[in-house]
Amino acid sequence: MMEEDMENGRSYQERPRTFSTVRSKSSIPLVFRLLMRINPRALIILSLLVFSGVLYVGASTSPIVVFVFCICTLSLFFSLYLTKWVLAKDEGPPEMSEISDAIRDGAEGFFRTQYGTISKMACILAFVILGIYLFRNTTPQQEASGLGRATSAYITVASFLLGALCSGIAGFVGMWVSVRANVRVSSAARRSAREALQIAVRAGGFSAIVVVCMAVFGVAILYSTFYVWLGVDSPGSMKVTDLPLLLVGYGFGASFVALFAQLGGGIYTKAADVGADLVGKVEQGIPEDDPRNPAVIADLVGDNVGDCAARGADLFESIAAEIISAMILGGTMAQRCKIEDPSGFILFPLVVHSFDLVVSSVGILSIRGTRESGLISTVEDPMSIMQKGYSVTIMLAVLTFGVSTRWLLYTEQAPSAWLNFALCGLVGIITAYAFVWISKYYTDYKHEPVRLLALSSSTGHGTNIIAGVSLGMESTALPVLVISVAIISAYWLGQTCGLVDESGNPTGGLFGTAVATMGMLSTAGYVLTMDMFGPIADNAGGIVEMSQQPESVREITDVLDAVGNTTKATTKGFAIGSAALASFLLFSAYMDEVASFAQLPFKEVDIAVPEIFVGGLLGSMLIFLFSAWACSAVGKTAQEVVNEVRRQFIERPGIMDYKEKPDYGRCVAIVASASLREMIRPGALAIISPMAVGVVFRILGHSTGQPLLGAKVVASMLMFATVAGILMALFLNTAGGAWDNAKKYIETGALGGKGSESHKAAVTGDTVGDPFKDTAGPSLHVLIKMLATITLVMAPIFL
């Protein structure tokens, strides 16, 4: 066929391009395949029965839970509307569809393989948790309620597996929509930039709404099921204030899957990206996403498995962990203050995120398409349009947060306490906005830091790297100041709310911090929408370039792609800030849990004790070693990709003239197998380290007459790891995003434009930053929260 085409004078560019599939069987999860075989009417009846059962359980628990279920159900219908709206858009000409199908095959095939590996590891860990809980001691509260070791063990394992399953489904949803929306955004870009923007936003909105819904639904169903099954608050049974501690396994399961998804997806996407850029842009001088580059399909597949599937699991884990930690602290405070009806304080996080679904939906709908064609004007660029939607979401969030606090946190013991907690929520909302603004300032090429970074590229590769590293380090200052002010302000507002324990001591400080965390996450749905927008826009640009559309279309997708880089960076900053607050809350819950098991006071950690100081050193070291292994995995895999791309260019010289077709599938296979192999080592380090340290120092403590030494060393390890991890994640994410957008700025024509020496230096900076911002950085904030949840779940083995 190739020889005939050449004899007839037809080039590769003129021929219809076909891209072979890279999967061998369906990657749709078994649950969905089974549901698709059911008769539609029977499925509707089955859904109604399930919903009725859920409502019954909710009604047996609390009217608040019924409210949460109803909002979540309506939000799921809204997500179906968004799906139908996006899928109704056309896929463009056949060459666009062929490229999109190849990306979809690669993404879904890798997803099936990766999550199959993760599910096996989750089952092994579930047996480990079961063994620990079957042989651990029980707390006085559990003994009083009749909750034995076996029941507690099965509850924790079931929660862990459900959290892992839901996190996996959240990742699948993120990937499913992105591989179908990308080509529709590409097609819309041929007509109107605003239409392309709207499709990308609504596609991201579908994923965001489903992820938030699943997190809230999962926690609410677990809570209400345990409430009814265990007969909570009936004579001789568990108190409702102790119930949230049974949900910790859910957060651990979500963290476990999110960490491996982020590692595997991040290694995949950045290894392919680095390999494609180093050979394609630097050595061959061809544009990004050029169809002649053998690694380009792997790069586009990576955007979906790394930035969509992994981020969906990541944000699901963030929301679930913060809901559970806030419920635990709400129940603890209500118990200490002898509040007559503590359900409002416990269920408050679920209601906040129910309202989050509503306000985020309004924000998504506020971004509308228009009939104008061409580039969005400089007066109303895509970032400003999305920020307007974010502003609408924030204003509504302030109102609904005030309503939530007055409804659920009002108590006769302290009539004005709800107002203090509303102010705590306002602190959290302002903190979220500040993080978004700071991240935008340091990563958007409309601002000075990125432009100075781009200018440093004009003097060479080395100065670009130096400027990027210094920018990343500088960018840690403002976020840390914001977090510090937020924690102290929220703690003070909670402490002065008027709620006191039996001894007259103020007790609302920690819960105030929890409320601030909820405030920060009260717009999580819209923030996740902005995050999902990024990889969809990036993929759309790749499809436009590979299908060789007119330059005017590529200009539109380039603008959207640059905005997507900024929105991804702002979302990562938002996630880091919420991780810092959540880890603070989970650390407090860990200390309470240890005190309950040991029946000894545990209120402080003295780092002047040598063993405890060593625990802190080990925690800090863990962050650096984890980051090193994650970046090294990208480097090793990228080397394989570079060698393969070079080989193809040498052995198939006709590729550059469009006379021979690159072997895209070979690069896909290389990064898929390598990313699965390389994700194991850093992931295992994160899981094994705290358990190993706790057990070793527990043995040492018992031999030296220090019964809490193991727990204290792990607490020190957790504190230092959190501090080091926040700073490292801020540095990596911001530096990587700034390097990427400095390259984008030069590609707009500044400093010589594409192909110039400045552009080559900027590409080098971008390749250095790729594993920073999309592998090590995002994985770190997941690691921080997973360390907090694993120490809480594994607390008994440290005593």
Side-chain angles (χ1 to χ4, degrees), residues 614-631:
V614 168
L617 283 177
L618 292 173
S620 301
M621 176 272 292
L622 172 63
I623 296 301
F624 282 84
L625 184 58
F626 178 88
S627 302
W629 284 358
C631 292

Side-chain angles (χ1 to χ4, degrees), residues 487-534:
I487 290 176
I488 292 173
S489 301
Y491 190 90
W492 180 82
L493 284 168
Q495 198 77 346
T496 58
C497 71
L499 289 172
V500 295
D501 60 16
E502 292 177 326
S503 304
N505 299 317
T507 60
L510 280 176
F511 187 67
T513 309
V515 174
T517 308
M518 289 299 103
M520 189 171 183
L521 289 165
S522 61
T523 56
Y526 191 85
V527 173
L528 180 55
T529 298
M530 292 195 296
D531 183 78
M532 290 292 185
F533 166 86

Side-chain angles (χ1 to χ4, degrees), residues 17 48 71 88 96 108 113 118 120 145 184 220 222 238 281 362 384 386 422-423 552 572 581 597 647 704 751:
R17 286 169 294 281
L48 289 174
I71 293 294
M96 280 188 174
E108 293 182 347
T113 305
I118 294 173
K120 293 173 185 175
S145 63
R184 290 167 170 84
L222 267 185
M238 174 180 286
K281 286 185 178 181
V362 174
S384 66
M386 298 187 73
L423 292 175
S552 59
K572 290 167 189 171
L581 293 175
F597 276 108
R647 182 192 66 80
T704 57
L751 303 172

Side-chain angles (χ1 to χ4, degrees), residues 589-600 602 708 711 795 798-799:
Y590 165 73
M591 295 181 74
D592 289 340
E593 183 80 344
V594 169
S596 297
F597 276 108
Q599 300 182 38
L600 293 170
F602 184 30
L708 290 182
F798 307 144
L799 301 171

Side-chain angles (χ1 to χ4, degrees), residues 382-575:
M383 195 66 204
S384 66
I385 295 171
M386 298 187 73
Q387 282 185 318
K388 287 179 182 177
Y390 186 46
S391 299
V392 170
T393 306
I394 281 183
M395 288 188 291
L396 292 174
V398 171
L399 294 175
T400 55
F401 206 93
V403 171
S404 302
T405 50
R406 180 62 180 82
W407 173 25
L408 299 173
L409 304 184
Y410 177 82
T411 174
E412 295 291 344
Q413 293 175 233
S416 62
W418 73 270
L419 184 58
N420 281 45
F421 290 131
L423 292 175
C424 290
L426 184 61
V427 168
I429 292 172
I430 294 172
T431 300
Y433 188 82
F435 261 88
V436 170
W437 185 87
I438 292 168
S439 298
K440 179 178 177 294
Y441 175 72
Y442 278 108
T443 56
D444 193 337
Y445 64 60
K446 295 181 178 63
H447 300 292
E448 185 180 16
V450 175
R451 295 201 174 200
L452 290 176
L453 177 57
L455 183 62
S456 71
S457 303
S458 61
T459 52
H461 301 249
T463 50
N464 173 277
I465 301 300
I466 293 170
V469 170
S470 62
L471 183 150
M473 290 181 174
E474 178 190 324
S475 70
T476 62
L478 285 178
V480 168
L481 291 175
V482 169
I483 291 173
S484 303
V485 171
I487 290 176
I488 292 173
S489 301
Y491 190 90
W492 180 82
L493 284 168
Q495 198 77 346
T496 58
C497 71
L499 289 172
V500 295
D501 60 16
E502 292 177 326
S503 304
N505 299 317
T507 60
L510 280 176
F511 187 67
T513 309
V515 174
T517 308
M518 289 299 103
M520 189 171 183
L521 289 165
S522 61
T523 56
Y526 191 85
V527 173
L528 180 55
T529 298
M530 292 195 296
D531 183 78
M532 290 292 185
F533 166 86
I536 292 173
D538 191 356
N539 255 211
I543 292 172
V544 166
E545 181 70 39
M546 289 198 71
S547 60
Q548 299 173 349
Q549 298 300 309
E551 186 63 26
S552 59
V553 181
R554 179 67 198 195
E555 288 175 2
I556 292 175
T557 54
D558 279 348
V559 172
L560 297 179
D561 186 17
V563 171
N565 286 332
T566 303
T567 58
K568 285 191 289 183
T570 57
T571 306
K572 290 167 189 171
F574 174 88

